Each structure stands twice: as C-alpha cells, then as structure tokens.
Amino acid sequence: MASTALTITNLVQNMCLPGVPVALKLVLLSFLAFALLMVLTAKARRAHFHYKHNKNNNNEGGLIRGGPGMPVPLVEQLAQKLHLQNNINSNKNTNYQANEDSDSAASASLSSMEATKRMLAQPSKFVDAEKKLKQQLLHLLEKQTTEQKSNGEVDPNLSVLGVKISNRYLGEDLLPYPESKQAEEEWEHKMNQRKEELRKQDEIEWKALMERYNEVMVDYVEENEHADHNAGLHEVEQDVIDSKPLKPQQHKQQQPVSEVKHAKSDENTTWPAPSKMAGDDATILLKPAFGTHRPLSNAILVFAEGYDLSIYLSFVESLANTGYSGDVVFSISNESKLKPGVKEYLLSKSDSQSDKGVNIIAYEVEWTCFKKSGESARGSGEGINHCKMNSVFGDSAGNPVDDPREPRPVATARYELYWIWSLQYSKESWLMLLDVRDVWFQLDPFEQVNARGKVTGELHLFGENADAVRIGTSAYNKGWLVTAYGRKTVSSYFDEPVICSGSTMGNQDAIETYLRAMVAQFDSTKCKSKGCDQGFHNYLYYSGQLGKVDDETTSVGSISKLVVHEQGKGAINNLGALRTKPLKEWGMYDAEKELVLNWDGSTSPVAHQYDRDKEVNIMVKAKKKEFEQQWRLGKPNSA
C-alpha cells in the first residue's frame, strides 16, 4: 500500500502544472476519472432511464407502471380509455385516419410525466373562471382603494365600499359585485338568477361526465369479469351462455335444488331457504323489537334504518289516510341510534289487538360493517359499506351462529330480512316490498287485489318508463347486470325496460319464493356493488326464472302467476325516469287535487320516487310538516 501511494505521488510530481500542490492535482485527476466513467456508461444509463420512465417502444411497464407483463392499473386504464375517446371524438371529422391511429397508440403508452403535462395543458373552465373572477375582484379593490383616498367625496349611494360580492365567476356581462350600494338589490337578483342557470348547466355537464365514466367502468368490468368472479360464478355463467337465454317465454326453467325443511316452506324446492347456508338445522333467532304480526292480514315490508321522524311520519300517515288496515314491518336502527321521536311514534302505531288500522312491527338488526378496504366501519355508510348481520340465525339449540354470508350492502341483505318476515303470514296475505324515503300513498295499495277475493301464488312486478330508459341506455342498470352475470349472459336484455326492485307485490307464497331467488343470486354471483339487487331483480325476470308473464299453466316454486305492470298502469307508479320534465307536463300530476296520476287519469295508489318532481316534492314536504305538527300536538292522522 505504501509503495502504491509513493508511485502515485511520483507520477503526479512528474506531471505538468509545475508548482501546483499535489493535493489539487489529485482532485483534478479525480474529475477526469469521473468524466471518463460517465462517457463509458452513457449507453447503459440511457437504456435504464427509458425503462424506468416507460419510454421503450414495446410498451412494457417500467417502475412507474409495474414490471414487464404486469396488468395496467385500473386508474390508468380509465385515463387511457377516456383520453382515447376524447382523441377519437376530436378527430372524427378529419381525413387523417393514419395519424389518428398513431396518436391513439402513442397516447396509450404515455408515461405518468407526459400524461401530467398533457393534463395541465388541457383547458379547465373552472380554473379559467377563478382567474377571471380574481381579475374582476382586483378591479373592485382598485375602486375601493381610490374611494378611500377620496376622503368621503363620493356619494354614499354610489359607494362601492362594503358592497356584497359573489364567490363565483358570473360571466363577462355580470360582475361579481354591484356597481354601487344603490344598485346592490338589482345586482343580487341578477346574481341569483345567473347562479341558478350555472347550477343547471353544471348539473348537465356533471351528469354527462358521470355517464361517460360509467360507460368506461362497464367496459372495464366486461374486460376483467373473469378475473373478478369466483369459480362458482364461472360455472353458472357458462351454463347460461351455453343454453343461449332468450326472453322469458323461451327460457328453459332452472332445475330444482334440495333445501332445508321449513315449517311454512316445505313445498318450495326451486331455491334453498336463505337459512340453509347457516346449516341444515339452522333456526331463525331474529325477533321483533316491538309489535306483533297479524298472520291473516296484508303487510308492507320496509327496510327503514337511519331515517328521521319525518320519513316515518309521511310513510305511515299517508298510508293510514287511505284507510289501509294491515301490518307495516320496519327494520329500524338500534334504539341507541334512533333519531328523536321515532320509537315513540312507531310504538303509538303498534296495535296487534285490533284487526283494523295500521299495525307496526319493528325489528332492530345488529350489523358489523366494513369499508371496501376491509377496515371496520361505523354503520352501512348509506349502503356503500359491506355488512354482516349478527344473531339472526342460530343452530338447532338456539345458539347464535355467525352470518354465513360474506359482508354485502344492506340493500342486498334486506332480502333475507324480508324472507324472514314473510314467513309470519298466510299464503293468501298480500305482501308489498317498498322503499321508504320516496314513497307516498294516495289509495289503499291492496284495494284492487282485495276486491278479487282470496287468491294465492301471484307475483306482481312494476316497470320504469320504457320510453325514457332501457337497461342498455342506463349505465347503472347495465353495469349491475354485467358485474353480476357477465356481458354475454345479459346482453340480450339491453333493449328491455327496467323493472324496479324497490317496488314488488304478491301473495305470501309467491313473495317467499321470489325472496329465496333474490338471496340465491347474491350467493351465486357475490356481486357486492350497491345496486346489484336491481340487477338480480331484472335478471330473474328476463331469464324466465320467475315464470312466464300472465301464463298460469306454468309455475316456479309457489309462483303460479307472474304479472308485470308498465309504468303508470298499476298499483305502484315508478316516477324516477320521468324527471326530464315536470309530472304536470306529462299529465301525471293534478296540482289542484294534489294527486299523482296514472296514464289513464286515475289516482296512483302508490307514488314511488315522487321526490324527483319539484312540485310534488314541495307538496309532500308541506304534508310532512302538517303530520309532524299533529303528532307533536298529540293528534296524529287527523288530516
């Protein structure tokens, strides 16, 4: 080591630059060596840089997008699809198809850095509007500064000091502040009008953006469905694909499966009882928190957790005002989570001793919920979180068993609750499954069917407006079906009307069969998206698994007759798809009588999704206030 150091020292001493200290010469030598190293490794470093930033021509993922051959992340797939769609739309009127294809291929392989640059280069009306607003407010500041320096020489009516300002850009023709104190009232009126116009415009643009996003999501699901579904779904899906399902009239009925015996359901062997998954000898432990079922009465079954008193008041009081006599079965929040006044009001309507009037039965279900990430969550998160039911099923000795199903949205799990409740009624009882928040009663919902005398085995479904929406034109309905069953299985349904899962009616035996079928759809598909129950509902009908419409020569389980009502032609009027213009303009609302109408001008017994119409919603809100005042005064249901 010493001899090596001596050699280097002698070499440096004999080099040029005489008189330069040896230490400095060593530093210069080090720089020369580093430069030589950079030259020799330039090619290798360039290749590594291209790989890291995904600039290689074969479009294999680098460190930013994963190793070669790894799947492109979902977010990036969506970004690419949206970018490609914009690129194609912006170039569709040009004759440069070759250049367009080249640009599209290049955009699909953009690196994150390049994509960010392109994104920042895109115009943003919101950012641009904020910039313009800032400039206008700076102009106001200049005016106010000038006025302050005038030492009170400005007429107070013409002053701009302390004037109101808008926090939103209103356009070039309307400043975000009045020209003076005197003009403040007129300016405020114009500002409110303009904000309403802008709000509607934003709504339209946002809806269009969400529809485009939903289409991309559906495409993504279609491309990745086989990776996302379990093996059981593949087997079911392949069977259906091979049989080429058509419309209900041509569909081959599903083969029966064995099931656990139940005291009131021995004849139903098409789908297993929901309790079977908890064990062949499973028992039902769920009991009412208060109230008693009247087995011979009709009943309305409602999942109604988390709402305030006004929702229960409008539902129950509007129903009572029709003269309805029967049960209403609610699933409500645990007592500790109930909103003020809810339990007191519901208890006042719980009267099983009389065979007249409304009788409320309430169940409190304990839920254990999780976010999609798997973290524990407090509550259902308005249906977004996935939940398990606690202490609903037990073993033969009555000991609670864990929920046998995977966590799912409460909107999906509610069908298990409906099934349990349905077992409390006789075969001839009419049962109705309804949403709670957007339902308004105008006539006894069972008046027409009661007039026919006792029947069994009927199932009634209710459609949404077929002219306004079809399954294929609704990104949501299409997406739920594709997510659950795969595109190949359900594409033949895309031209069909949407059947609403929030409104179903039938005899107890038919409803019980339908509810088994709904629970079985989750068990086979494991579809956990909020809204998949609507997909299940439409699949069961269009695949023919609920039977043939108005054909009493066929039956499925205990369903001997299947009836489907077009929108505005049955006991339940689904109004949501008509939101494009007021119901009055459709001829479906009599403002003078404050009644929602069917297409033939008759009164709709049940107005569902009424809150999509502004005038009807205002009417119902006013009625809610009346009901609440009457309740507070101790005179409910006196309207």
Side-chain angles (χ1 to χ4, degrees):
M1 179 66 73
S3 62
T4 302
L6 181 61
T7 301
I8 293 174
T9 302
N10 292 335
L11 179 62
V12 172
Q13 286 176 343
N14 294 328
M15 287 173 61
C16 58
L17 302 176
V20 176
V22 174
L24 184 55
K25 289 181 180 181
L26 285 172
V27 171
L28 291 173
L29 182 61
S30 298
F31 274 114
L32 289 172
F34 179 77
L36 181 61
L37 178 64
M38 291 296 100
V39 172
L40 294 174
T41 61
K43 185 175 181 180
R45 286 185 294 104
R46 181 177 178 80
H48 175 72
F49 178 85
H50 278 240
Y51 174 77
K52 179 176 179 180
H53 294 282
N54 193 34
K55 293 186 177 181
N56 43 331
N57 294 329
N58 62 8
N59 196 31
E60 289 182 345
L63 297 181
I64 299 298
R65 295 172 57 184
M70 288 185 67
V72 180
L74 170 59
V75 173
E76 193 162 340
Q77 285 193 36
L78 294 178
Q80 289 176 12
K81 287 177 182 291
L82 289 173
H83 179 79
L84 286 171
Q85 185 178 353
N86 289 336
N87 192 39
I88 291 170
N89 290 339
S90 64
N91 290 285
K92 64 182 177 181
N93 294 323
T94 72
N95 295 321
Y96 303 110
Q97 186 63 44
N99 290 339
E100 178 184 318
D101 293 342
S102 175
D103 291 343
S104 296
S107 66
S109 61
L110 285 174
S111 70
S112 297
M113 187 181 299
E114 289 168 327
T116 300
K117 288 180 180 178
R118 181 166 293 194
M119 179 189 71
L120 293 174
Q122 296 294 319
S124 168
K125 91 170 183 180
F126 297 106
V127 174
D128 293 343
E130 287 296 317
K131 290 178 180 177
K132 291 177 181 178
L133 175 63
K134 183 178 179 181
Q135 291 299 321
Q136 290 174 331
L137 293 177
L138 284 174
H139 186 58
L140 172 63
L141 181 61
E142 291 174 4
K143 285 184 175 182
Q144 291 176 332
T145 303
T146 302
E147 184 178 334
Q148 284 179 328
K149 291 180 179 179
S150 66
N151 297 321
E153 296 177 3
V154 178
D155 185 337
N157 289 329
L158 303 178
S159 173
V160 292
L161 293 175
V163 293
K164 296 179 180 180
I165 62 171
S166 168
N167 59 359
R168 177 167 185 175
Y169 177 68
L170 304 173
E172 294 292 343
D173 60 330
L174 184 61
L175 293 171
Y177 57 88
E179 291 287 358
S180 64
K181 276 283 189 182
Q182 192 174 24
E184 197 168 62
E185 187 174 341
E186 181 183 358
W187 169 85
E188 190 168 6
H189 178 68
K190 290 180 179 179
M191 177 197 69
N192 289 332
Q193 284 185 325
R194 180 63 54 83
K195 281 190 172 182
E196 180 62 21
E197 292 170 5
L198 293 172
R199 184 191 66 77
K200 290 180 179 178
Q201 184 180 339
D202 290 345
E203 239 177 46
I204 293 170
E205 292 177 359
W206 178 254
K207 183 179 178 181
L209 179 63
M210 287 298 98
E211 286 177 354
R212 203 174 92 195
Y213 169 78
N214 285 325
E215 289 296 336
V216 172
M217 285 300 297
V218 168
D219 290 341
Y220 173 80
V221 169
E222 292 169 8
E223 293 167 5
N224 296 274
E225 61 187 273
H226 294 295
D228 292 340
H229 293 111
N230 56 30
L233 176 56
H234 282 305
E235 294 166 6
V236 173
E237 182 178 319
Q238 191 59 49
D239 289 341
V240 180
I241 291 171
D242 293 342
S243 64
K244 297 181 180 179
L246 299 173
K247 293 184 179 180
Q249 291 80 352
Q250 298 172 327
H251 182 78
K252 186 176 180 180
Q253 295 298 337
Q254 177 178 324
Q255 293 299 315
V257 292
S258 59
E259 55 122 350
V260 61
K261 288 188 176 183
H262 193 282
K264 299 188 71 172
S265 308
D266 291 347
E267 299 175 3
N268 194 337
T269 57
T270 306
W271 290 280
S275 58
K276 183 178 176 63
M277 188 172 282
D280 289 338
D281 57 353
T283 55
I284 298 171
L285 302 183
L286 186 65
K287 305 294 181 186
F290 56 84
T292 304
H293 295 272
R294 298 182 295 195
L296 300 179
S297 74
N298 298 330
I300 300 173
L301 313 183
V302 189
F303 185 86
E305 295 190 15
Y307 294 104
D308 60 29
L309 178 60
S310 67
I311 299 297
Y312 297 97
L313 278 167
S314 63
F315 190 95
V316 176
E317 294 299 322
S318 69
L319 177 62
N321 285 342
T322 69
Y324 169 77
S325 285
D327 288 356
V328 177
V329 188
F330 283 127
S331 175
I332 62 175
S333 304
N334 286 348
E335 186 170 355
S336 61
K337 298 178 182 178
L338 278 177
K339 302 294 176 63
V342 170
K343 185 173 183 180
E344 183 185 3
Y345 170 72
L346 295 180
L347 278 169
S348 74
K349 293 289 184 178
S350 182
D351 182 14
S352 60
Q353 300 303 312
S354 171
D355 58 355
K356 302 292 183 182
V358 175
N359 172 49
I360 288 179
I361 303 96
Y363 287 79
E364 297 177 3
V365 179
E366 287 278 358
W367 302 92
T368 300
C369 298
F370 307 88
K371 298 177 183 177
K372 289 185 179 180
S373 62
E375 297 177 66
S376 186
R378 294 183 63 184
S380 66
E382 297 184 352
I384 299 297
N385 295 332
H386 298 161
C387 304
K388 291 175 77 75
M389 298 189 293
N390 301 328
S391 302
V392 170
F393 298 118
D395 58 22
S396 58
N399 301 309
V401 298
D402 291 338
D403 187 341
R405 292 179 172 84
E406 297 178 17
R408 62 271 188 212
V410 292
T412 299
R414 62 178 167 163
Y415 291 91
E416 297 164 61
L417 299 178
Y418 292 163
W419 175 76
I420 292 171
W421 302 343
S422 74
L423 302 177
Q424 303 297 320
Y425 297 92
S426 67
K427 288 183 177 182
E428 295 85 7
S429 294
W430 284 96
L431 305 182
M432 183 174 283
L433 317 179
L434 280 177
D435 294 336
V436 65
R437 183 189 57 79
D438 54 0
V439 166
W440 181 252
F441 295 97
Q442 303 182 124
L443 295 173
D444 183 339
F446 301 117
E447 182 176 341
Q448 294 178 359
V449 291
N450 283 338
R452 293 165 43 205
K454 290 187 177 183
V455 296
T456 61
E458 288 191 15
L459 179 66
H460 293 247
L461 308 180
F462 299 86
E464 299 190 18
N465 189 274
D467 295 326
V469 64
R470 300 270 173 163
I471 288 173
T473 62
S474 168
Y476 291 108
N477 284 281
K478 180 181 176 182
W480 293 323
L481 278 165
V482 170
T483 300
Y485 302 101
R487 184 184 182 88
K488 291 180 180 178
T489 303
V490 299
S491 59
S492 60
Y493 314 149
F494 288 172
D495 291 332
E496 303 292 351
V498 175
I499 309 298
C500 181
S501 65
S503 52
T504 304
M505 181 177 79
N507 294 116
Q508 183 276 337
D509 52 354
I511 284 287
E512 198 262 344
T513 295
Y514 162 79
L515 293 170
R516 287 172 175 244
M518 287 291 285
V519 177
Q521 299 314 297
F522 173 75
D523 291 342
S524 64
T525 68
K526 299 297 187 293
C527 184
K528 296 184 179 181
S529 298
K530 179 184 178 183
C532 270
D533 61 297
Q534 175 115 327
F536 302 158
H537 185 77
N538 280 271
Y539 173 76
L540 285 170
Y541 169 59
Y542 286 115
S543 66
Q545 295 188 46
L546 297 177
K548 298 179 182 180
V549 175
D550 292 326
D551 184 350
E552 297 187 40
T553 63
T554 62
S555 63
V556 177
S558 297
I559 302 172
S560 58
K561 182 178 180 180
L562 177 64
V563 182
V564 177
H565 301 271
E566 294 179 16
Q567 182 270 323
K569 295 184 179 181
I572 303 172
N573 192 350
N574 296 313
L575 304 164
L578 299 176
R579 69 185 75 187
T580 53
K581 63 181 181 181
L583 289 178
K584 188 190 293 184
E585 293 183 25
W586 288 108
M588 302 202 78
Y589 181 59
D590 185 331
E592 185 176 343
K593 295 181 179 179
E594 296 184 329
L595 289 174
V596 175
L597 308 174
N598 283 338
W599 290 111
D600 62 2
S602 62
T603 301
S604 300
V606 183
H608 180 218
Q609 303 164 334
Y610 70 82
D611 59 343
R612 278 64 157 181
D613 183 84
K614 184 177 181 180
E615 191 171 3
V616 178
N617 197 29
I618 290 172
M619 180 272 291
V620 173
K621 282 184 176 180
K623 296 288 186 182
K624 285 181 182 178
K625 289 182 180 179
E626 291 179 19
F627 292 150
E628 190 160 2
Q629 289 173 354
Q630 292 165 3
W631 164 245
R632 300 297 182 195
L633 292 172
K635 300 177 182 179
N637 200 22
S638 62

